[in-house]
Amino acid sequence: MSRTPARLPLPALLALATAVFVTSLTETLPAGLLPAMSTDLGVGESAMGQSVTIYAIGTAATAIPLSAATAGWRRKRLLLAAMAGFAVANTVTAVSANYPLTMAARFVAGVAAGLAWALLAGYARRLAPAHLQGRAIAIVMTGIPVALSLGVPAGTFLGDAVGWRVTFSVMTVLAVVLLGWIAVTVPDRPGQRREGPRRERQRREGQRRECRTPVLRTLALPGVVPVLFVTLVLVLAHTVLYTYIATFLDRLGMGGSTDVVLLVFGAASLLSIWIVGVHIHRRLRALTLASTVLFAVAATVLAIAADSPAAVYAAVTLWGLGWGGAPTLLQTAVGDAGGEEADTAQAMLVTLWNAAMAGGGVVGGVLLDRLGSRSFPWSVLVLLVPVLAVVAGARAHGFPGAGNRTDTAIGTSTGTGTRTG
């Protein structure tokens, strides 16, 4: 019988953090490699941008059914299967000379991501003693900002230096090394206990009958719909610009600086995560408003002064400061608004997050083909206007000030900045 240790099992948690890193980096890596990938595969950059869309679709479409289908699997076996999926998908991406095959590989990677995201936070919690479970999850989720702040710029630099295929090959090597690391250091945990076939059928039928009730009940709670709306539109705005950032910079004559620009964005995002973590208990509303305004100012600068490299770096810094803490703010807000239905609210937020990422790839591709890359920051501004209006209007519920938040909400709003796609 496995036992939960009295202290945090750091080697195991760092292995899980690396799994989060691989998942996040595989998703966002094309953003810095888009021009080279599109040229090599003989498609337009808007078509290549759909490699992010198809990944998000794979995650959104399969996470819940795969989670249910594998609920009885032992956790270690399931994690190894997910990481093996990344190794296979990134290998195929690295060697493929065919656009449809590359897209199929990206879909498989998205499926592996859906499996991983349904598993990792709960696995981390079960590896730690009760009083350290929050810290364990925080350690594991550091893989997200590390992927954004260091992984994507490093992958972009490597792609520029030796080719994008080498970058994806390195991802394969990392996944293979991680498989060994998990096998050696991560303790196993059982899945959910399986019921008899008849009881299992009865339970599933009951779940199907009742599944609509929690969703409708959660949507009826004050504040949930505003937070979900803000999530959908804010992530859509971010994804339109981030997915095609390499293309945008290339059109400005800054294509050779994509890795540096992404590094600046990542560093600012890390600072944002720290600021939000320190102040979120009492300043959720102010931080969300500031996040939206910073992103809007960044888009304005990119829209009117993008011919200046200094202005681009300033705008990207503001963008990172506005975006980095957004996942923490939105997850905390929807958890507070959801109350006893917080789990359902979080699941809805995750679904909308992935839908927005898929939509961002599509919308950005259409804008690129019809209006050119210069339309991206203007489109972001258009999308941020209703976001700012909803955040400002949701004063009593959704994004309340400190005086309107209950003691319970303040006491529980310590969620880490986990990925929600």
Side-chain angles (χ1 to χ4, degrees), residues 272-343:
S272 174
I273 291 169
W274 178 80
I275 293 171
V276 168
V278 171
H279 296 288
I280 192 171
H281 297 283
R282 298 287 177 182
R283 295 182 173 88
L284 173 65
R285 177 178 176 78
L287 288 168
T288 308
L289 287 169
S291 174
T292 307
V293 170
L294 285 170
F295 192 6
V297 172
T300 302
V301 173
L302 290 176
I304 64 178
D307 291 325
S308 166
V312 170
Y313 282 111
V316 168
T317 301
L318 294 174
W319 179 17
L321 288 172
W323 175 255
T328 305
L329 293 167
L330 295 171
Q331 285 187 319
T332 300
V334 85
D336 288 354
E340 293 183 357
E341 303 295 334
D343 287 346

Side-chain angles (χ1 to χ4, degrees), residues 318-403:
L318 294 174
W319 179 17
L321 288 172
W323 175 255
T328 305
L329 293 167
L330 295 171
Q331 285 187 319
T332 300
V334 85
D336 288 354
E340 293 183 357
E341 303 295 334
D343 287 346
T344 301
Q346 292 281 2
M348 295 164 70
L349 183 142
V350 169
T351 301
L352 286 178
W353 191 290
N354 281 283
M357 291 192 65
V362 173
V363 171
V366 172
L367 289 171
L368 180 62
D369 285 342
R370 296 189 177 183
L371 300 175
S373 61
R374 291 276 192 157
S375 66
F376 293 154
W378 292 110
S379 302
V380 168
L381 278 173
V382 170
L383 290 168
L384 290 180
V385 169
V387 169
L388 189 59
V390 171
V391 174
R395 179 180 299 275
H397 303 284
F399 300 98

Side-chain angles (χ1 to χ4, degrees), residues 209-258:
R209 288 194 300 268
E210 297 175 2
C211 66
R212 294 183 180 179
T213 303
V215 171
L216 295 176
R217 186 167 60 240
T218 303
L219 287 174
L221 293 172
V224 170
V225 170
V227 177
L228 294 179
F229 174 84
V230 168
T231 299
L232 178 66
V233 182
L234 185 64
V235 175
L236 178 65
H238 168 77
T239 307
V240 165
L241 185 56
Y242 191 84
T243 299
Y244 296 95
I245 187 63
T247 299
F248 179 76
L249 294 172
D250 191 52
R251 299 293 194 273
L252 297 177
M254 294 181 62
S257 302
T258 301

Side-chain angles (χ1 to χ4, degrees), residues 23-408:
T23 304
S24 300
L25 184 54
T26 299
E27 179 178 29
T28 55
L29 196 54
L33 304 172
L34 213 57
M37 292 179 71
S38 65
T39 299
D40 207 6
L41 294 176
V43 297
E45 291 179 12
S46 59
M48 202 65 247
Q50 305 317 303
S51 62
V52 175
T53 301
I54 197 69
Y55 185 107
I57 291 173
T59 301
T62 63
I64 294 176
L66 273 181
S67 177
T70 59
W73 288 30
R74 297 193 67 85
R75 301 294 90 182
K76 188 169 183 175
R77 173 188 174 193
L78 191 57
L79 180 59
L80 289 171
M83 292 304 107
F86 279 109
V88 171
N90 284 324
T91 297
V92 173
T93 302
V95 302
S96 172
N98 180 275
Y99 176 74
L101 179 60
T102 300
M103 295 298 279
R106 292 290 295 172
F107 181 82
V108 170
V111 172
L115 196 58
W117 287 122
L119 165 71
L120 284 163
Y123 203 166
R125 186 165 52 245
R126 295 175 67 184
L127 292 179
H131 67 289
L132 294 175
Q133 288 178 351
R135 187 175 299 177
I137 294 173
I139 290 172
V140 169
M141 292 304 165
T142 56
I144 298 171
V146 171
L148 290 176
S149 62
L150 298 178
V152 176
T156 303
F157 173 80
L158 186 63
D160 290 341
V162 293
W164 66 269
R165 295 182 184 277
V166 175
T167 303
F168 278 98
S169 297
V170 170
M171 293 299 298
T172 296
V173 172
L174 180 57
V176 171
V177 171
L178 180 58
L179 285 169
W181 187 357
I182 292 169
V184 172
T185 66
V186 178
D188 197 7
R189 291 293 184 268
Q192 296 178 6
R193 184 168 58 88
R194 291 190 178 275
E195 301 168 333
R198 183 177 178 181
R199 287 288 302 277
E200 179 67 13
R201 284 195 301 271
Q202 292 174 341
R203 182 180 66 81
R204 289 181 179 177
E205 289 173 1
Q207 286 179 336
R208 281 195 293 270
R209 288 194 300 268
E210 297 175 2
C211 66
R212 294 183 180 179
T213 303
V215 171
L216 295 176
R217 186 167 60 240
T218 303
L219 287 174
L221 293 172
V224 170
V225 170
V227 177
L228 294 179
F229 174 84
V230 168
T231 299
L232 178 66
V233 182
L234 185 64
V235 175
L236 178 65
H238 168 77
T239 307
V240 165
L241 185 56
Y242 191 84
T243 299
Y244 296 95
I245 187 63
T247 299
F248 179 76
L249 294 172
D250 191 52
R251 299 293 194 273
L252 297 177
M254 294 181 62
S257 302
T258 301
D259 52 346
V260 180
V261 170
L262 289 172
L263 182 61
V264 171
F265 172 83
S269 296
L270 283 176
L271 179 59
S272 174
I273 291 169
W274 178 80
I275 293 171
V276 168
V278 171
H279 296 288
I280 192 171
H281 297 283
R282 298 287 177 182
R283 295 182 173 88
L284 173 65
R285 177 178 176 78
L287 288 168
T288 308
L289 287 169
S291 174
T292 307
V293 170
L294 285 170
F295 192 6
V297 172
T300 302
V301 173
L302 290 176
I304 64 178
D307 291 325
S308 166
V312 170
Y313 282 111
V316 168
T317 301
L318 294 174
W319 179 17
L321 288 172
W323 175 255
T328 305
L329 293 167
L330 295 171
Q331 285 187 319
T332 300
V334 85
D336 288 354
E340 293 183 357
E341 303 295 334
D343 287 346
T344 301
Q346 292 281 2
M348 295 164 70
L349 183 142
V350 169
T351 301
L352 286 178
W353 191 290
N354 281 283
M357 291 192 65
V362 173
V363 171
V366 172
L367 289 171
L368 180 62
D369 285 342
R370 296 189 177 183
L371 300 175
S373 61
R374 291 276 192 157
S375 66
F376 293 154
W378 292 110
S379 302
V380 168
L381 278 173
V382 170
L383 290 168
L384 290 180
V385 169
V387 169
L388 189 59
V390 171
V391 174
R395 179 180 299 275
H397 303 284
F399 300 98
N404 291 330
R405 298 183 72 197
T406 64
D407 292 339
T408 301

